[in-house]
Amino acid sequence: MTHSLTPRDKGNLPALGAPPLIRLDAYVAEDGSTVVNGHLLDMGGTRPPNETILDAVAMFARTLGAPVAATVIDRTAQQVARLRVHPDGSSRTIGEEEDLPPGRERTAAEEEAFPPLARVERIIQHAQREELHAAFVLASALREHLTLRRGAEDELSLEARAIEAYLAYLRGDYMLSTVLALTVARIRCRTDLNRAAPDVARATAAWQRLWDEGQVATRGQELLHMWERLSAAGLLQEASHHAMAQAVRSRLAQGDRSVAQGSAPAAAALTAGPGRAPAPAAPEDKPLKPTRRGLRRFTRRAGRSPGQSS
């Protein structure tokens, strides 16, 4: 189920007198699904995501009677676009130096207007209705924007990534779930080892569903290293965690025995797969490039009707 923004939905609007101007956020997933302020938008058939975003943000500007700032994370273009949209519907992209000043006060003001916890509740509602695609896209949008504003190691960013990993698991995308959960565990081991065991356990649960031997070996080695760190620090308190650590160790040992029984070329093929290089360690985040000013797909002249870009 998607959600179309309307001016009557007061819960989606920033406070009229909020100084300085609240910046809206938008997200375009790799499949083109589009989110504005934590709501999955109805694309109206085959409308491009950029037009849907411009129409939604222009609605905010008209309602407020003032220009509106917006940050768009676009995974289809691997870019971050920063926009200024006016009540007359005109818009332009701006450079990062022209954007609203960053800082804790700005982040606090934005999150007061659009609380992350309210977005989490919406994600849970979609998941409870088994609308897993919608829930996953909303979780990805939340994690991306929290990471952009707060950094990957922030507690809210980590929680959003953990939710995203769980939803990927529910959807049966165990590779992505493992990558996301491993990133949470990796950050937690680096910043707060005392709290890392549950996160390593969640990453292990996803990893156990992998079948690609190269991925099993690469991700498993990192998991084993994490479990050994926790064990050396005396932080394996639960029997289930001891069992998981042993399961990782046993599966890797079984894989090593299988490799040892084959020839060197066969062993390399088993690890990397036919025609592939060995699997790299899981990346924490793909870097995004800021858009150049005047990017046409997010530029609209005054007087253009909704859905028309210059």
Side-chain angles (χ1 to χ4, degrees), residues 256-279:
D256 286 344
R257 286 195 296 273
S258 298
V259 170
Q261 291 171 359
S263 64
L270 180 62
T271 302
R276 290 182 296 166

mmCIF file of all heavy atoms in Angstrom, residues 256-279:
data_model
loop_
_atom_site.group_PDB
_atom_site.id
_atom_site.type_symbol
_atom_site.label_atom_id
_atom_site.label_comp_id
_atom_site.label_asym_id
_atom_site.label_seq_id
_atom_site.Cartn_x
_atom_site.Cartn_y
_atom_site.Cartn_z
ATOM 1 N N ASP A 256 36.746 -25.721 4.833
ATOM 2 C CA ASP A 256 38.190 -25.864 4.660
ATOM 3 C C ASP A 256 38.549 -27.290 4.277
ATOM 4 O O ASP A 256 39.418 -27.528 3.440
ATOM 5 C CB ASP A 256 38.917 -25.475 5.954
ATOM 6 C CG ASP A 256 38.910 -23.964 6.177
ATOM 7 O OD1 ASP A 256 38.634 -23.227 5.205
ATOM 8 O OD2 ASP A 256 39.166 -23.535 7.317
ATOM 9 N N ARG A 257 37.857 -28.261 4.899
ATOM 10 C CA ARG A 257 38.144 -29.663 4.569
ATOM 11 C C ARG A 257 37.767 -29.963 3.122
ATOM 12 O O ARG A 257 38.461 -30.675 2.412
ATOM 13 C CB ARG A 257 37.387 -30.589 5.523
ATOM 14 C CG ARG A 257 37.983 -30.646 6.930
ATOM 15 C CD ARG A 257 37.433 -31.834 7.696
ATOM 16 N NE ARG A 257 35.991 -31.696 7.914
ATOM 17 C CZ ARG A 257 35.444 -31.061 8.944
ATOM 18 N NH1 ARG A 257 36.228 -30.498 9.854
ATOM 19 N NH2 ARG A 257 34.139 -31.001 9.085
ATOM 20 N N SER A 258 36.635 -29.369 2.674
ATOM 21 C CA SER A 258 36.205 -29.591 1.292
ATOM 22 C C SER A 258 37.212 -28.999 0.318
ATOM 23 O O SER A 258 37.530 -29.592 -0.711
ATOM 24 C CB SER A 258 34.829 -28.949 1.071
ATOM 25 O OG SER A 258 33.863 -29.545 1.918
ATOM 26 N N VAL A 259 37.741 -27.836 0.629
ATOM 27 C CA VAL A 259 38.737 -27.196 -0.218
ATOM 28 C C VAL A 259 40.018 -28.010 -0.243
ATOM 29 O O VAL A 259 40.634 -28.207 -1.289
ATOM 30 C CB VAL A 259 39.013 -25.756 0.265
ATOM 31 C CG1 VAL A 259 40.221 -25.178 -0.468
ATOM 32 C CG2 VAL A 259 37.795 -24.876 0.048
ATOM 33 N N ALA A 260 40.418 -28.519 0.912
ATOM 34 C CA ALA A 260 41.673 -29.264 1.004
ATOM 35 C C ALA A 260 41.627 -30.545 0.175
ATOM 36 O O ALA A 260 42.654 -31.023 -0.305
ATOM 37 C CB ALA A 260 41.969 -29.599 2.471
ATOM 38 N N GLN A 261 40.422 -31.088 -0.028
ATOM 39 C CA GLN A 261 40.311 -32.334 -0.773
ATOM 40 C C GLN A 261 40.424 -32.114 -2.279
ATOM 41 O O GLN A 261 40.661 -33.045 -3.029
ATOM 42 C CB GLN A 261 38.971 -33.005 -0.453
ATOM 43 C CG GLN A 261 38.909 -33.521 0.981
ATOM 44 C CD GLN A 261 37.514 -33.992 1.351
ATOM 45 O OE1 GLN A 261 36.595 -33.922 0.541
ATOM 46 N NE2 GLN A 261 37.356 -34.469 2.578
ATOM 47 N N GLY A 262 40.266 -30.862 -2.739
ATOM 48 C CA GLY A 262 40.326 -30.579 -4.170
ATOM 49 C C GLY A 262 41.684 -30.045 -4.563
ATOM 50 O O GLY A 262 42.584 -29.859 -3.746
ATOM 51 N N SER A 263 41.819 -29.804 -5.870
ATOM 52 C CA SER A 263 43.062 -29.216 -6.366
ATOM 53 C C SER A 263 43.072 -27.736 -6.071
ATOM 54 O O SER A 263 42.068 -27.152 -5.705
ATOM 55 C CB SER A 263 43.168 -29.450 -7.872
ATOM 56 O OG SER A 263 42.115 -28.770 -8.543
ATOM 57 N N ALA A 264 44.223 -27.081 -6.284
ATOM 58 C CA ALA A 264 44.321 -25.636 -6.045
ATOM 59 C C ALA A 264 43.361 -24.851 -6.935
ATOM 60 O O ALA A 264 42.656 -23.973 -6.466
ATOM 61 C CB ALA A 264 45.759 -25.167 -6.252
ATOM 62 N N PRO A 265 43.285 -25.144 -8.258
ATOM 63 C CA PRO A 265 42.325 -24.417 -9.091
ATOM 64 C C PRO A 265 40.886 -24.627 -8.636
ATOM 65 O O PRO A 265 40.084 -23.712 -8.639
ATOM 66 C CB PRO A 265 42.557 -24.968 -10.498
ATOM 67 C CG PRO A 265 43.957 -25.503 -10.464
ATOM 68 C CD PRO A 265 44.142 -26.029 -9.073
ATOM 69 N N ALA A 266 40.575 -25.877 -8.244
ATOM 70 C CA ALA A 266 39.218 -26.151 -7.788
ATOM 71 C C ALA A 266 38.929 -25.404 -6.506
ATOM 72 O O ALA A 266 37.822 -24.918 -6.274
ATOM 73 C CB ALA A 266 39.039 -27.666 -7.580
ATOM 74 N N ALA A 267 39.927 -25.319 -5.628
ATOM 75 C CA ALA A 267 39.729 -24.605 -4.373
ATOM 76 C C ALA A 267 39.464 -23.130 -4.629
ATOM 77 O O ALA A 267 38.601 -22.521 -3.990
ATOM 78 C CB ALA A 267 40.972 -24.756 -3.494
ATOM 79 N N ALA A 268 40.216 -22.557 -5.585
ATOM 80 C CA ALA A 268 39.994 -21.143 -5.895
ATOM 81 C C ALA A 268 38.605 -20.930 -6.469
ATOM 82 O O ALA A 268 37.931 -19.949 -6.159
ATOM 83 C CB ALA A 268 41.055 -20.661 -6.889
ATOM 84 N N ALA A 269 38.168 -21.871 -7.316
ATOM 85 C CA ALA A 269 36.836 -21.730 -7.904
ATOM 86 C C ALA A 269 35.756 -21.860 -6.841
ATOM 87 O O ALA A 269 34.729 -21.189 -6.887
ATOM 88 C CB ALA A 269 36.629 -22.792 -8.988
ATOM 89 N N LEU A 270 35.993 -22.730 -5.854
ATOM 90 C CA LEU A 270 35.021 -22.912 -4.787
ATOM 91 C C LEU A 270 34.896 -21.649 -3.960
ATOM 92 O O LEU A 270 33.800 -21.263 -3.548
ATOM 93 C CB LEU A 270 35.454 -24.086 -3.904
ATOM 94 C CG LEU A 270 34.535 -24.418 -2.716
ATOM 95 C CD1 LEU A 270 33.166 -24.827 -3.223
ATOM 96 C CD2 LEU A 270 35.138 -25.526 -1.867
ATOM 97 N N THR A 271 36.015 -20.998 -3.721
ATOM 98 C CA THR A 271 35.990 -19.797 -2.901
ATOM 99 C C THR A 271 35.392 -18.613 -3.645
ATOM 100 O O THR A 271 34.596 -17.865 -3.105
ATOM 101 C CB THR A 271 37.423 -19.435 -2.453
ATOM 102 O OG1 THR A 271 37.951 -20.549 -1.730
ATOM 103 C CG2 THR A 271 37.434 -18.210 -1.568
ATOM 104 N N ALA A 272 35.775 -18.456 -4.904
ATOM 105 C CA ALA A 272 35.360 -17.254 -5.629
ATOM 106 C C ALA A 272 34.157 -17.483 -6.522
ATOM 107 O O ALA A 272 33.451 -16.554 -6.854
ATOM 108 C CB ALA A 272 36.524 -16.749 -6.482
ATOM 109 N N GLY A 273 33.918 -18.727 -6.909
ATOM 110 C CA GLY A 273 32.862 -18.973 -7.873
ATOM 111 C C GLY A 273 33.425 -18.821 -9.278
ATOM 112 O O GLY A 273 34.415 -18.136 -9.499
ATOM 113 N N PRO A 274 32.789 -19.447 -10.264
ATOM 114 C CA PRO A 274 33.321 -19.412 -11.631
ATOM 115 C C PRO A 274 33.349 -17.993 -12.180
ATOM 116 O O PRO A 274 32.352 -17.285 -12.178
ATOM 117 C CB PRO A 274 32.336 -20.296 -12.408
ATOM 118 C CG PRO A 274 31.089 -20.307 -11.588
ATOM 119 C CD PRO A 274 31.542 -20.200 -10.168
ATOM 120 N N GLY A 275 34.552 -17.565 -12.633
ATOM 121 C CA GLY A 275 34.681 -16.271 -13.276
ATOM 122 C C GLY A 275 34.603 -15.089 -12.348
ATOM 123 O O GLY A 275 34.410 -13.963 -12.801
ATOM 124 N N ARG A 276 34.714 -15.289 -11.032
ATOM 125 C CA ARG A 276 34.577 -14.182 -10.089
ATOM 126 C C ARG A 276 35.802 -14.072 -9.204
ATOM 127 O O ARG A 276 36.450 -15.066 -8.891
ATOM 128 C CB ARG A 276 33.353 -14.383 -9.192
ATOM 129 C CG ARG A 276 32.029 -14.236 -9.920
ATOM 130 C CD ARG A 276 30.889 -14.412 -8.956
ATOM 131 N NE ARG A 276 30.879 -15.764 -8.396
ATOM 132 C CZ ARG A 276 30.160 -16.117 -7.341
ATOM 133 N NH1 ARG A 276 29.428 -15.218 -6.719
ATOM 134 N NH2 ARG A 276 30.191 -17.350 -6.890
ATOM 135 N N ALA A 277 36.070 -12.854 -8.783
ATOM 136 C CA ALA A 277 37.132 -12.642 -7.806
ATOM 137 C C ALA A 277 36.618 -13.025 -6.431
ATOM 138 O O ALA A 277 35.412 -13.139 -6.217
ATOM 139 C CB ALA A 277 37.546 -11.167 -7.828
ATOM 140 N N PRO A 278 37.509 -13.281 -5.469
ATOM 141 C CA PRO A 278 37.061 -13.590 -4.116
ATOM 142 C C PRO A 278 36.142 -12.497 -3.586
ATOM 143 O O PRO A 278 36.315 -11.313 -3.872
ATOM 144 C CB PRO A 278 38.378 -13.650 -3.324
ATOM 145 C CG PRO A 278 39.410 -13.989 -4.352
ATOM 146 C CD PRO A 278 38.969 -13.325 -5.609
ATOM 147 N N ALA A 279 35.133 -12.894 -2.815
ATOM 148 C CA ALA A 279 34.143 -11.943 -2.308
ATOM 149 C C ALA A 279 34.803 -10.942 -1.366
ATOM 150 O O ALA A 279 35.554 -11.330 -0.475
ATOM 151 C CB ALA A 279 33.037 -12.702 -1.562
#
